[in-house]
Amino acid sequence: EPEVTQTPSHQVTQMGQEVILRCVPISNHLYFYWYRQILGQKVEFLVSFYNNEISEKSEIFDDQFSVERPDGSNFTLKIRSTKLEDSAMYFCASSGGGPWDEQFFGPGTRLTVL
Amino acid sequence: RKEVEQDPGPFNVPEGATVAFNCTYSNSASQSFFWYRQDCRKEPKLLMSVYSSGNEDGRFTAQLNRASQYISLLIRDSKLSDSATYLCVVNGHNTDKLIFGTGTRLQVFP
């Protein structure tokens, strides 16, 4: 069964450093998303991406964040200068049937900022 | 009012029991509704979409009441493996972003 994959599974970084989180969505999907979940809290939307551009972003997704689809398979989230409060699980998701279709999540990257 | 509201639980039930979870949402323009399951420190996994006519998948039945902005999930014949957090999820207004509830924790004991 096709699935979303993410790397790395765990990233530890120092405050102020840049991190890139990588995702490979399900191959025939066209809609891509990043969500995050701070420990003990609910899953929160960060950004959606379609047709090589951002279609929507949340207030959390400020200038420190960017997304890119550098090739036909990868979808990346970059945080330019990490803060302590960026520590969270970051989930990539993809959807194939349309913007209101079911979204399938990857296993997540646990980001720890020290 | 929270966008998606759920009772956090925990619901502790014996194997074989029937358990029901409820959820309310605030945006009447929401168009898609889902139940996801999340195990500890894992990703949300789609359990089922929820349709106005109601839908059933094995031991799981989901119902949607648009007039009351209310979604339910019924689990029959609970198994130990059903122990998880159940997330009520809706999409936003004219948007495909998903809005998650805080989840309801279920613990099934032998």
Side-chain angles (χ1 to χ4, degrees), chain B residues 55-68:
Chain B
N55 46 307
E56 187 174 310
D57 183 2
R59 298 181 293 109
F60 300 85
T61 301
Q63 298 276 354
L64 168 65
N65 183 323
R66 284 187 184 268
S68 304

Side-chain angles (χ1 to χ4, degrees), chain A residues 77-107:
Chain A
L77 174 69
K78 182 193 289 187
I79 310 174
R80 285 190 190 78
S81 178
T82 50
K83 306 184 192 68
L84 295 176
E85 55 265 35
D86 293 328
S87 295
M89 278 290 279
Y90 287 80
F91 295 110
C92 174
S94 71
S95 169
W100 293 285
D101 202 14
E102 299 155 342
Q103 294 181 24
F104 296 91
F105 285 73

Side-chain angles (χ1 to χ4, degrees), chain A residues 27-83:
Chain A
S27 64
N28 61 344
H29 283 187
L30 299 175
Y31 300 84
F32 312 119
Y33 310 86
W34 284 100
Y35 292 83
R36 81 170 186 191
Q37 186 175 31
I38 294 170
L39 188 63
Q41 298 186 22
K42 63 180 183 178
V43 178
E44 300 174 287
F45 169 80
L46 291 178
V47 66
S48 56
F49 191 88
Y50 170 69
N51 202 23
N52 278 322
E53 60 184 30
I54 290 174
S55 39
E56 186 174 355
K57 58 185 180 181
S58 71
E59 291 175 356
I60 303 166
F61 195 90
D62 61 23
D63 292 344
Q64 294 301 311
F65 290 85
S66 62
V67 289
E68 196 177 34
R69 187 153 163 83
D71 53 45
S73 59
N74 289 284
F75 179 50
T76 62
L77 174 69
K78 182 193 289 187
I79 310 174
R80 285 190 190 78
S81 178
T82 50
K83 306 184 192 68

Side-chain angles (χ1 to χ4, degrees), chain B residues 28-39:
Chain B
S28 60
S30 294
Q31 297 173 321
S32 302
F33 309 89
F34 309 96
W35 283 101
Y36 280 77
R37 159 196 176 127
Q38 186 173 34
D39 292 287

